[in-house]
């Protein structure tokens, strides 16, 4: 298989494994969707890491495969392509991208589907599709502009240029930069900590933020209010508040 899901102690790692550059061909896209949906539904997966290995995250789509496709074929395939990445973005649990080496084109778009991005000092990110005479098609024009703002996104997409880790951090494209050999460790620490948290509340927080960003403030506040009230029916809320009253803040155990 070109993509694997490995689960240990509440953390699921979706690992790209198509050497040498983890090119995102149709088989990889379809497998990503399958494993994202599996991770979303498994109770033993409470947080997720997206990882391409020590050397490269994903250097983009399989250009030879795309070159052979005509307009009619891509009209059909483009929906499946976006659905694959959206399945990752919709995982109702904390998701962190552990980015080493190149994250270009579809690789960058995959990282954008995560809630948090940790990059190695050797990371290079970008949306170079314009250099092929096309535009990002797996969410890049939408998720990138929402993350870093439209003008910065347009600069990257219009020019197709790559940015190193330090510039990606300054742009807000990644959230943390660490030595290249510490990327997975740092991502695992982030995920493992959240895997011990209140699963329903984390899901509520993620959905409130993501859904709220797509609508007006009043509707977003309604989404938040409904989730907030609903959490008062959960065991985790009872446990968290009881622990706070009896033991003080930050000591509740949810797993």
């Amino acid at each position: 298989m070109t993509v694997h899901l490995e689960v240990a102690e509440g953390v699921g790692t979706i690992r790209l494994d198509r050497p040498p550059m983890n090119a995102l061909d149709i088989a990889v896209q379809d497998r990503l969707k399958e494993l994202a949906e599996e991770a979303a539904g498994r109770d033993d997966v409470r947080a997720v890491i997206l990882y391409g290995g020590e050397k490269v995250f994903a250097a983009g789509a399989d250009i030879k495969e795309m070159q052979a496709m005509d307009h009619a074929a891509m009209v059909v395939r483009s929906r499946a392509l976006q659905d694959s990445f959206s399945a990752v973005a919709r995982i109702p649990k904390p998701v962190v991208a552990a980015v080493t080496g190149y994250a270009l084109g579809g690789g960058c778009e995959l990282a954008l589907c995560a809630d948090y991005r940790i990059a190695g000092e050797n990371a290079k990110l970008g949306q170079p599709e314009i250099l092929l005479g096309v535009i990002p098609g797996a969410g890049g024009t939408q998720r990138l502009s929402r993350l870093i703002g439209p003008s910065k996104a347009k600069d990257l997409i219009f020019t197709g240029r790559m940015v190193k880790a330090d510039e990606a951090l300054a742009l807000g494209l990644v959230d943390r930069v660490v030595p290249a050999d510490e990327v997975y460790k740092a991502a695992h620490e982030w995920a493992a900590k959240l895997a011990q948290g209140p699963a329903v509340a984390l899901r509520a927080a993620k959905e409130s933020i993501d859904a709220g960003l797509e609508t007006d403030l009043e509707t977003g506040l309604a989404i938040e209010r409904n989730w907030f009230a609903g959490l008062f029916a959960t065991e985790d809320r009872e446990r968290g508040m009881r622990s706070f009253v009896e033991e003080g803040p930050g000591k509740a155990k949810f797993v």
Side-chain angles (χ1 to χ4, degrees):
M1 288 292 183
T2 54
V3 190
H4 311 276
L5 174 61
E6 302 163 357
V7 181
E9 298 180 349
V11 176
T13 299
I14 296 178
R15 166 72 186 268
L16 301 173
D17 188 16
R18 190 181 180 225
M21 301 302 286
N22 289 333
L24 300 167
D25 66 355
I26 289 174
V28 170
Q29 295 164 25
D30 291 346
R31 182 66 172 157
L32 267 174
K33 183 175 186 290
E34 178 183 337
L35 292 182
E37 291 173 345
E38 179 181 339
R42 284 179 59 163
D43 291 338
D44 61 338
V45 176
R46 297 172 65 93
V48 174
I49 302 170
L50 305 177
Y51 186 50
E54 296 177 355
K55 295 182 178 180
V56 62
F57 185 70
D62 188 320
I63 305 304
K64 291 183 179 179
E65 184 179 68
M66 287 201 304
Q67 184 184 21
M69 301 176 73
D70 60 13
H71 172 255
M74 189 51 76
V75 166
V76 174
R77 185 62 211 172
S78 59
R79 170 69 69 174
L81 167 64
Q82 289 189 348
D83 286 349
S84 297
F85 284 65
S86 292
V88 176
R90 286 195 298 263
I91 295 173
K93 302 164 186 182
V95 178
V96 56
V99 181
T100 56
Y102 292 111
L104 302 176
C108 186
E109 289 171 302
L110 179 59
L112 291 171
C113 294
D115 303 305
Y116 194 76
R117 283 155 289 279
I118 298 176
E121 293 173 345
N122 67 339
K124 294 182 179 180
L125 300 92
Q127 300 287 170
E129 289 88 348
I130 204 77
L131 305 179
L132 301 173
V134 294
I135 64 172
T141 66
Q142 302 304 303
R143 293 192 177 96
L144 184 61
S145 57
R146 283 165 170 77
L147 181 66
I148 68 174
S151 61
K152 294 175 182 176
K154 286 174 182 177
D155 173 53
L156 295 184
I157 292 171
F158 288 178
T159 65
R161 69 186 182 91
M162 292 186 294
V163 296
K164 295 181 180 179
D166 56 349
E167 184 177 359
L169 182 63
L171 288 169
L173 179 51
V174 301
D175 302 290
R176 185 179 169 195
V177 175
V178 300
D181 60 355
E182 296 180 13
V183 171
Y184 185 79
K185 177 183 177 183
H188 191 275
E189 288 173 351
W190 187 91
K193 181 177 181 179
L194 292 174
Q196 298 299 311
V200 181
L202 285 165
R203 177 175 185 156
K206 180 168 181 171
E207 182 166 320
S208 294
I209 294 168
D210 289 351
L213 285 172
E214 302 305 316
T215 188
D216 61 273
L217 177 60
E218 286 303 314
T219 303
L221 287 169
I223 293 169
E224 177 185 270
R225 182 171 64 250
N226 289 335
W227 266 115
F228 176 70
L231 290 169
F232 276 71
T234 66
E235 181 180 341
D236 281 344
R237 193 279 306 185
E238 294 178 8
R239 182 178 296 143
M241 291 191 175
R242 182 174 61 250
S243 175
F244 182 92
V245 171
E246 296 176 358
E247 304 174 282
K251 296 182 180 179
K253 297 185 183 300
F254 297 101
V255 179

